[in-house]
Amino acid sequence: MSAVTTVSLHSLNTADKAAFTVALGEIYEHAPWVAEAVHGQRPFASLAALHEAMVSVVRAAPAEQRMALLKGHPDLAGKAARAGAVTSDSKAEQASAGLDRLSEAEYANFHRLNDAYRAKFGIPFIVCARRHSKDSILRHFEHRLQNSVTAEPKAALNEVFRIAALRLDQRVEAPDKLKVHGRLSTHVLDTHAGHPAAGVKIELAELAAHGGPRAIASGTTNLDGRTDHPFISRRPIPIGRYELRFHVGEYFTRRGAPQSDPPFLDVVPVRFDVAEPESHYHVPLLVTPWSYSTYRGS
Amino acid sequence: MSAVTTVSLHSLNTADKAAFTVALGEIYEHAPWVAEAVHGQRPFASLAALHEAMVSVVRAAPAEQRMALLKGHPDLAGKAARAGAVTSDSKAEQASAGLDRLSEAEYANFHRLNDAYRAKFGIPFIVCARRHSKDSILRHFEHRLQNSVTAEPKAALNEVFRIAALRLDQRVEAPDKLKVHGRLSTHVLDTHAGHPAAGVKIELAELAAHGGPRAIASGTTNLDGRTDHPFISRRPIPIGRYELRFHVGEYFTRRGAPQSDPPFLDVVPVRFDVAEPESHYHVPLLVTPWSYSTYRGS
Amino acid sequence: MSAVTTVSLHSLNTADKAAFTVALGEIYEHAPWVAEAVHGQRPFASLAALHEAMVSVVRAAPAEQRMALLKGHPDLAGKAARAGAVTSDSKAEQASAGLDRLSEAEYANFHRLNDAYRAKFGIPFIVCARRHSKDSILRHFEHRLQNSVTAEPKAALNEVFRIAALRLDQRVEAPDKLKVHGRLSTHVLDTHAGHPAAGVKIELAELAAHGGPRAIASGTTNLDGRTDHPFISRRPIPIGRYELRFHVGEYFTRRGAPQSDPPFLDVVPVRFDVAEPESHYHVPLLVTPWSYSTYRGS
Amino acid sequence: MSAVTTVSLHSLNTADKAAFTVALGEIYEHAPWVAEAVHGQRPFASLAALHEAMVSVVRAAPAEQRMALLKGHPDLAGKAARAGAVTSDSKAEQASAGLDRLSEAEYANFHRLNDAYRAKFGIPFIVCARRHSKDSILRHFEHRLQNSVTAEPKAALNEVFRIAALRLDQRVEAPDKLKVHGRLSTHVLDTHAGHPAAGVKIELAELAAHGGPRAIASGTTNLDGRTDHPFISRRPIPIGRYELRFHVGEYFTRRGAPQSDPPFLDVVPVRFDVAEPESHYHVPLLVTPWSYSTYRGS
């Protein structure tokens, strides 16, 4: 099943057990029994109800089965992922956090952490990669390694549920939405002229502790001073550091605003960290050729 | 004569012609005749009067002598500079703009421009290097190459006067100052707490079109929210692009201000261009954990 | 016909001439012939088309008829208005600009201006009162008095068309809207806490050159930092001076934000002038206990 | 002794006891014994040392003498003050807080509070009036009335010391200063043009709970965007509510900045409360024709 194939909640509600289990068999990694177990509860009034039912099945399962579920997950940036021996979901998820393009040193670091984690907890390290950048996964990994052996399986299971929610969100079309989406948007107001700044080129980059910035998105403001689409939406915003770059110098030059030569402000960088992947980060710019303000807005 | 040896206006006013000419002989590159010619006008009431007298001598000199003065200057980033066969002033001035640490490609580029310039105008390219970064010298160079053969010698002479003014300013102690100094300062106001932000680490870097940022200065704000000394003062601010980096995340963490984890703002970059080397660029930051403003202040 | 009785474009399109003329007979003051003349052009695809048709009828009418139309308007703040001898539309329109509660001195001033205007132009002074405050009507009146006798009838007719558009907008329900509405809204962002400020009491007052401020609207911000409804909408914003008053002191006290005693900021007044009645004036406040910003936003 | 007669610390240090006591006899109200008692400690190295010595004498005096000192103070806004039967210092101090121009209702209110206070504590209510506006004296009065009979005399004595420090500061010229001065200043930065705003008219008014604003000071910004002198300095800033009014509309009109008609911003009011009379309140304005920011600066 490819990432883009979707199924409607309605058709799931009328599917027989085999079709239902095929459709949702990979929501939980290598654990089609979760889908199978909820088939009898059809019809589901909402996607949230389906998700809750599957979560309940996992929570109610015997401890050994839950541990088997955890153990069924691939190592992050591990040999299986490198060799392609993971579900297509896992592959895409790991790629979303940049784990498919690690340096040898980073790969070695993950290898070391994976070994330490397995040695301490007896399970692979599981994290909902779509909620993270590479840096935040590493920080999170180091942090989780400090957990007690009783606390950590709960933390791991929590991540399994997050992964499942995002997979359901991608796979199933339903009238309701799971709360798994964030939004990163911006707005440019020209306080020199007193109206929205149209035609301002903006780039969004992800910054990493090592290595240069990675371009994520770019756009140009419309007549309302906004980009036509948010830079990130319909997915969690990976926890991490970002930089918006507003090309205001060329904007004010085009408008004929008096500036120094070269202009005092050319490309304005606004750097910020995302801590809550499911939140709305609205980061506007109020700008003249000589000043600007930015803030976490709403 | 080393760059640090200074002489007082008072002692110049009482010096005999030989001593006077030695003291000021290198204000104009390889042209001690300028100093010699103004000796008879002593005493000078001010440094400005001395400077004006020397400028007048140059302007009144026969055209051939003025051309010889221009021709006496070394190429920028040229073989003479590389070989050390220039005055110590010229050497220090070229180094101040980074011309002593060019890549081979940049060296070749200067070589090409020098040749084209000499071919068109018959003189070496002269620019007051202390007023420039490497990038702005190159832009300026390309721009000057477009001048007409009648206009360019005047532009070159203007640079010679700027160089002379800066040399005088460094060499002669006097009650008055020539208008050759700029100032780059900052200030951090914590608008979350309503008082100056003390203990904020700040770095100043010069940005270049090619190559990474070059650290220029750093400091930590005092109780008044300022660095104890301006980042740049008592000299022109080289025309160029700069970035101030305010470490506000650790400041607010230390103060116990509520923040997200990681903090929304960690290191705030403020990027701006300097166009007027002899001006005051005051670039403050008004900041909370969730917002900031900056502007060209005074 | 009361101000609240509305009729649908659809029913107008199927109405006979008598009903049509009754419904739209007062769109132009004492000039039902305008409505009557466009009846034959039914059906109208849009409200805009109906408005344009009526405008065209007036423009194409003989000059004497147009003058009669102008002369049919009552004096502003005149004896007829005082005595109630004007259409209910006129009465409501004059009241909207405060012309029904003038002081004797103001009444005398209008009387004087009306006389001067009639003496110069031979028609009553006509202005679309819903687009004005009392102060701006007076300024406008003095300004129009300076017009030439050839230019002024065009200015008067333009106001007649504005009045007609607003009356149509109020009377006829249609899928489209005439561009006769402005909007005045606000938004409070707590940049101390990094989220919208909920529960901030806000008042809007109209300021006048003489006499105290007049309360127009008030509200309290919701979880999104906005009032549930714009302070002014679905009508032109009268040209005039306004003050928003944001009760931020009690907001920050309630949130337990550290403040001085008494708080540095209690009620923040933001005073501004509206020049374009059909525009959107969004006037937000970004605020901490020690600072605030405001701007004309979008 | 009039308020403007000053004496130098040097001459006090060499004065005989009679002259010394005359010079400082009214620093403590009707208590020349305080000055007399410190005469033997001459010479005083600083004004602070003189003040501390006098404070120590009061603290070390027998309880009855301290109570007599407290009882020697006139009622605030009392009959003695109205009849002129108080020291010239007291008279000027009460006037500084506006207590010489109370309405009959306010006078009656003070009368009632004075009676209640005397009935509870057996002394007149003493407050350093120069640190207060009328409103804050009333709030302070109500607050002090809640004190216990053991705590209140200490609070009263503390006010006596504040009054004495301010009287010493006014009367004695010395190299050092007592920490009794605050400062209220402003600054206007034109972020539309990127430089200080020169020629902006500014007014400072004190706002009161009842009655209109009271003009305190006004000025026009110089080339540096500041008024030549702070609006309040060399004295405490009375605790109270203030409004700065920046005439930015006429400033931008004069500069030819594009604005709406009428301008969006004309007179910008900035309203704030002073809680710390001995502090520096710097309240700047960063302004364009369409936006502004203000904050408690430094």
Side-chain angles (χ1 to χ4, degrees), chain B residues 17 45 106 128-129 152 173 221 264:
Chain B
K17 185 180 274 196
E106 289 171 324
C128 179
E152 178 54 20
E173 287 169 21
T221 53
F264 181 64

Side-chain angles (χ1 to χ4, degrees), chain B residues 298, chain D residues 186-188 196-197 220-229 282:
Chain B
S298 70
Chain D
T186 186
H187 183 204
V188 187
T220 300
T221 54
N222 56 28
L223 286 174
D224 197 31
R226 303 174 197 275
T227 53
D228 287 340
H229 303 286
H282 183 59

Side-chain angles (χ1 to χ4, degrees), chain A residues 241 264 266 273 290 293-294, chain B residues 241 264 266 273 292-293 296:
Chain A
R241 180 160 296 180
F264 181 63
D266 183 13
D273 280 73
W290 307 97
S293 296
T294 188
Chain B
R241 179 160 296 181
F264 181 64
D266 183 13
D273 280 73
Y292 62 89
S293 296
R296 180 166 181 195

Side-chain angles (χ1 to χ4, degrees), chain D residues 40-201:
Chain D
Q41 298 179 32
R42 287 165 313 124
F44 296 99
S46 64
L47 191 56
L50 171 56
H51 178 54
E52 281 311 306
M54 295 178 85
V55 165
S56 295
V57 160
V58 173
R59 289 198 193 282
E64 303 75 34
Q65 198 168 14
R66 276 207 308 280
M67 282 303 279
L69 169 61
L70 297 179
K71 288 179 181 170
H73 282 76
D75 277 347
L76 271 187
K79 283 175 190 160
R82 281 195 145 187
V86 299
T87 62
S88 57
D89 285 305
S90 263
K91 194 175 163 187
E93 288 156 7
Q94 297 205 18
S96 105
L99 301 186
D100 59 339
R101 45 183 191 280
L102 298 178
S103 68
E104 284 305 313
E106 289 171 324
Y107 176 74
N109 195 22
F110 267 104
H111 195 71
R112 180 185 61 77
L113 288 166
N114 279 329
D115 286 352
Y117 187 94
R118 274 188 184 274
K120 179 167 182 185
F121 301 116
I123 52 173
F125 175 67
I126 305 171
V127 67
C128 181
R130 284 196 190 277
R131 301 178 76 246
H132 288 275
S133 62
K134 191 171 61 184
D135 284 354
S136 76
I137 283 187
L138 276 171
R139 275 202 311 272
H140 193 60
F141 209 156
E142 305 269 10
H143 184 75
R144 292 264 297 277
L145 257 177
Q146 313 304 319
N147 274 353
S148 70
V149 289
T150 51
E152 179 54 21
K154 288 172 200 157
L157 203 56
N158 197 34
E159 295 295 316
V160 168
F161 293 145
R162 282 175 159 159
I163 294 167
L166 274 165
R167 290 180 179 180
L168 271 182
D169 170 74
Q170 290 201 308
R171 192 129 330 152
V172 184
E173 287 168 23
D176 65 317
K177 288 278 172 197
L178 300 180
K179 293 188 193 311
V180 293
H181 294 174
R183 191 147 55 102
L184 197 163
S185 61
T186 186
H187 183 204
V188 187
L189 198 75
D190 173 352
T191 47
H192 184 267
H195 56 58
V200 177
K201 190 175 150 197

Side-chain angles (χ1 to χ4, degrees), chain A:
Chain A
M1 180 184 277
S2 132
V4 291
T5 308
T6 60
V7 59
S8 73
L9 182 62
H10 178 74
S11 65
L12 284 173
N13 274 337
T14 55
D16 64 21
K17 186 179 275 197
F20 188 90
T21 306
V22 164
L24 302 183
E26 291 182 357
I27 298 299
Y28 287 82
E29 189 88 1
H30 299 313
W33 55 269
V34 183
E36 203 171 354
V38 302
H39 179 258
Q41 299 178 34
R42 287 168 313 124
F44 296 99
S46 65
L47 191 55
L50 171 58
H51 178 53
E52 281 311 306
M54 295 179 85
V55 166
S56 295
V57 161
V58 174
R59 288 199 192 282
E64 302 74 36
Q65 196 168 16
R66 275 207 309 279
M67 283 303 280
L69 169 61
L70 298 178
K71 288 181 182 168
H73 283 74
D75 277 349
L76 270 187
K79 283 177 190 160
R82 282 197 144 187
V86 298
T87 62
S88 58
D89 285 306
S90 262
K91 194 174 164 188
E93 288 156 6
Q94 298 205 18
S96 105
L99 301 186
D100 59 340
R101 46 185 189 280
L102 298 178
S103 69
E104 283 306 314
E106 290 172 324
Y107 176 73
N109 195 22
F110 267 104
H111 195 70
R112 179 185 63 76
L113 287 166
N114 278 330
D115 285 354
Y117 187 94
R118 274 189 184 274
K120 180 166 181 185
F121 300 117
I123 52 174
F125 175 68
I126 304 171
V127 68
C128 178
R130 284 196 190 276
R131 300 178 76 247
H132 288 275
S133 63
K134 192 170 61 182
D135 284 354
S136 77
I137 283 187
L138 277 170
R139 273 202 312 273
H140 193 61
F141 208 156
E142 305 270 9
H143 185 76
R144 292 264 298 275
L145 257 177
Q146 312 304 319
N147 274 351
S148 70
V149 291
T150 51
E152 180 53 22
K154 287 171 199 157
L157 203 56
N158 197 34
E159 295 296 317
V160 167
F161 294 143
R162 282 175 160 158
I163 295 167
L166 275 165
R167 290 181 180 178
L168 271 182
D169 170 74
Q170 289 201 309
R171 193 129 329 154
V172 184
E173 285 169 25
D176 65 320
K177 288 279 171 196
L178 300 180
K179 293 189 192 313
V180 293
H181 294 174
R183 189 148 57 103
L184 197 162
S185 60
T186 186
H187 183 204
V188 188
L189 196 76
D190 173 350
T191 47
H192 184 267
H195 55 56
V200 177
K201 190 176 150 196
I202 310 173
E203 292 144 359
L204 174 68
E206 184 189 311
L207 307 186
H210 304 289
R214 186 164 70 91
I216 290 184
S218 66
T220 300
T221 53
N222 54 27
L223 285 175
D224 196 31
R226 304 173 196 276
T227 54
D228 287 341
H229 303 284
F231 279 139
I232 296 179
S233 65
R234 303 185 178 203
R235 58 156 296 165
I237 315 173
I239 295 170
R241 180 160 296 180
Y242 296 87
E243 189 169 277
L244 285 164
R245 292 178 193 139
F246 300 87
H247 292 243
V248 302
E250 59 187 34
Y251 165 78
F252 283 118
T253 299
R254 203 165 53 233
R255 281 190 51 82
Q259 294 185 97
S260 57
D261 178 22
F264 181 63
L265 299 176
D266 183 13
V267 176
V268 168
V270 173
R271 199 173 292 173
F272 59 93
D273 280 73
V274 166
E276 302 162 350
E278 289 81 20
S279 290
H280 181 193
Y281 282 75
H282 183 59
V283 184
L285 190 75
L286 312 182
V287 66
T288 79
W290 307 97
S291 65
Y292 62 89
S293 296
T294 188
Y295 51 90
R296 181 168 179 193
S298 69

Side-chain angles (χ1 to χ4, degrees), chain B residues 175-296:
Chain B
D176 65 318
K177 291 276 172 198
L178 300 180
K179 294 190 192 309
V180 293
H181 294 174
R183 190 148 55 102
L184 196 161
S185 61
T186 185
H187 183 205
V188 187
L189 196 75
D190 173 351
T191 46
H192 184 265
H195 55 57
V200 177
K201 192 175 150 196
I202 310 174
E203 292 144 359
L204 174 68
E206 184 190 310
L207 307 186
H210 304 289
R214 186 165 69 91
I216 291 183
S218 66
T220 300
T221 53
N222 55 28
L223 285 175
D224 196 32
R226 303 174 196 276
T227 54
D228 287 340
H229 303 286
F231 278 138
I232 296 179
S233 65
R234 304 186 176 201
R235 59 156 296 166
I237 316 174
I239 295 170
R241 179 160 296 181
Y242 297 88
E243 189 170 278
L244 284 164
R245 292 177 194 141
F246 300 88
H247 292 244
V248 303
E250 59 187 34
Y251 164 79
F252 283 118
T253 298
R254 205 165 53 235
R255 283 191 50 83
Q259 296 183 94
S260 56
D261 178 21
F264 181 64
L265 299 177
D266 183 13
V267 176
V268 168
V270 173
R271 200 172 291 173
F272 58 95
D273 280 73
V274 165
E276 302 163 351
E278 289 81 19
S279 289
H280 182 193
Y281 282 75
H282 183 59
V283 184
L285 190 74
L286 312 181
V287 65
T288 78
W290 307 97
S291 65
Y292 62 89
S293 296
T294 189
Y295 50 92
R296 180 166 181 195

